[in-house]
Amino acid sequence: MNPQPPAPLRPTITGRAETPMAFVKAIVQAYTQRGMDPLPALTEAQIAPESLERPEARITALQMEWLSATAMRELDDEALGWFSRRLPWGSYGMLVRASLTAPTLGVAMQRWCRHHGLLTEDILLQVSTEEGVAHLQLTEQGGLGALQEFAVVSVLRNALGVACWLTDSRIPLQQTTLRFAPPPHADSYRVLFDGPTQFNAHMHSLQFDAGYLSLPVRRDEAALQRMLQRALLLTVRPYRRDRLLVEKVRQTLAEHPEHSRNADDLAAWLNLSPRTLHRQLKEEGASLQQLKDAVRRDLATDLLLRTLRSIKQIAAEVGFQNEKSFMRAFKGWTGQTPEEFRNQT
């Protein structure tokens, strides 16, 4: 008899171990509730069983991804025992797909929260805004018991990860509020949620700049298929890129051209230093000149299509000193002269 080939080796664990052991124990409890053995899943994630008895122990984000993925498949429950009914494998992917065609993040998250309520009535998720602050609120409809902390933290982090992915933008939190008392591993919350965390609050919520709700959804079905190959990254790892500044700059250029004459004026209007403005735009993969050109192009094409104004008038309104420089720039943007663009429609 030929021996079985050895199982493929996992890569060496790297990264900071910051995920509290309490969350590992919560997954083990989900196995216990089903009368199943968690040891193979722990072994797969390179977690020593004896570490479960050390409350101060931590695992890396990669280990948490491995453990959660294995447990969700074996238990066929993406909620890992939190709710009164299982959420079969693919449930959260279905929620994202239902939000994919939304025009903005605000509409997408309203859909995501509403459809989550179709999966379970144990919690209620809502998005609201107040004085420029968005609130993603989680209300417990039924008792979550010993899994309360893990359930609340996981759902909120998943919702935030989906929001970041849909907009391809980091969404920094202004505050996280949680109804339960600070756990022994409360120091881990500085990693779980950026910004301050308030325990013993009157509601579970994430709070962030409401401007992010206006960001466009940037993903499609092909991107979703790629994301689902490692969907847990949305929950276990923070998103890095922040696109809100790009949208603020674009909006200011379009609506307040008097504040857009140069980088100094624009930065002052946005309460930034010119250096910070350029640096943050570069981090977002944009430049001030690119955004100016995009806004000018959009305004020019709109005027060409909607009005009968002369090319000279449009050039002046878009911000060019003369007709010739406008025509040269327009051809660079579209590959056509303004007249050719207008006549083709």
Side-chain angles (χ1 to χ4, degrees):
M1 180 182 297
N2 293 327
Q4 289 290 330
L9 296 176
R10 288 284 200 185
T12 303
I13 294 294
T14 58
R16 294 172 61 90
E18 295 177 315
T19 302
M21 191 56 63
F23 294 170
V24 177
K25 295 183 73 171
I27 293 177
V28 169
Q29 183 172 336
Y31 274 89
T32 303
Q33 289 174 350
R34 299 279 171 77
M36 297 173 63
D37 183 6
L39 184 58
L42 293 172
T43 302
E44 182 79 2
Q46 300 180 21
I47 300 172
E50 56 269 23
S51 64
L52 295 174
E53 305 308 317
R54 295 168 40 224
E56 76 285 359
R58 301 286 190 272
I59 63 171
T60 68
L62 184 58
Q63 286 176 291
M64 189 63 182
E65 181 189 352
W66 288 344
L67 177 62
S68 299
T70 301
M72 287 177 181
R73 287 187 180 276
E74 291 185 346
L75 300 173
D76 193 21
D77 184 6
E78 292 193 346
L80 294 173
W82 311 326
F83 305 134
S84 55
R85 55 169 292 186
R86 290 184 302 107
L87 301 192
W89 182 260
S91 295
Y92 279 100
M94 181 179 65
L95 293 184
V96 179
R97 178 172 280 108
S99 305
L100 207 57
T101 57
T104 65
L105 177 62
V107 175
M109 293 312 295
Q110 292 287 359
R111 288 184 190 174
W112 194 91
C113 292
R114 184 171 67 252
H115 292 148
H116 197 286
L118 301 177
L119 298 179
T120 176
E121 297 181 347
D122 293 335
I123 62 171
L124 175 66
L125 290 159
Q126 296 171 295
V127 177
S128 61
T129 59
E130 183 178 355
E131 298 181 350
V133 178
H135 299 256
L136 173 62
Q137 183 175 344
L138 185 157
T139 303
E140 297 178 46
Q141 306 278 73
L144 298 176
L147 296 180
Q148 179 197 41
E149 181 196 6
F150 185 42
V152 170
V153 168
S154 297
V155 172
L156 289 179
R157 279 178 60 92
N158 183 276
L160 179 63
V162 167
C164 292
W165 179 82
L166 285 170
T167 55
D168 190 21
S169 174
R170 185 175 75 89
I171 300 177
L173 299 176
Q174 296 181 1
Q175 181 176 235
T176 299
T177 65
L178 300 165
R179 294 186 61 194
F180 47 79
H185 47 271
D187 61 311
S188 295
Y189 277 76
R190 62 179 174 77
V191 177
L192 295 171
F193 302 106
D194 58 2
T197 297
Q198 177 188 349
F199 296 97
N200 290 318
H202 69 283
M203 67 177 179
H204 304 300
S205 75
L206 301 180
Q207 299 170 22
F208 53 92
D209 189 324
Y212 287 96
L213 296 178
S214 299
L215 289 180
V217 171
R218 297 175 176 271
R219 305 296 189 173
D220 56 18
E221 179 66 27
L224 176 63
Q225 291 303 320
R226 291 191 297 271
M227 181 272 283
L228 290 177
Q229 294 174 16
R230 290 189 70 186
L232 282 164
L233 287 178
L234 300 186
T235 301
V236 302
R237 295 179 185 269
Y239 218 87
R240 299 298 183 189
R241 176 184 293 176
D242 189 341
R243 289 192 180 273
L244 185 59
L245 181 60
V246 166
E247 297 301 325
K248 284 183 175 179
V249 169
R250 195 191 306 274
Q251 184 176 12
T252 301
L253 292 171
E255 298 179 3
H256 303 283
E258 69 276 15
H259 298 296
S260 310
R261 287 186 293 271
N262 54 56
D264 289 350
D265 288 347
L266 180 61
W269 174 257
L270 296 171
N271 296 315
L272 297 171
S273 70
R275 182 177 180 181
T276 299
L277 173 64
H278 286 299
R279 176 178 55 79
Q280 291 189 4
L281 286 176
K282 184 177 180 180
E283 290 174 355
E284 297 183 33
S287 73
L288 185 54
Q289 190 58 53
Q290 288 172 341
L291 294 175
K292 283 184 175 181
D293 287 344
V295 170
R296 284 176 160 184
R297 181 196 63 224
D298 291 346
L299 177 57
T301 55
D302 183 59
L303 292 172
L304 286 167
L305 294 176
R306 285 195 310 104
T307 74
L308 296 177
R309 295 175 195 174
S310 69
I311 303 302
K312 185 175 182 179
Q313 289 175 317
I314 292 175
E317 187 159 347
V318 172
F320 285 85
Q321 292 184 345
N322 57 69
E323 185 177 349
K324 184 179 291 185
S325 60
F326 167 65
M327 293 176 66
R328 184 167 54 247
F330 191 88
K331 189 161 187 178
W333 297 334
T334 66
Q336 297 175 300
T337 66
E339 294 93 338
E340 290 170 343
F341 181 85
R342 172 177 269 172
N343 292 335
Q344 75 174 359
T345 58

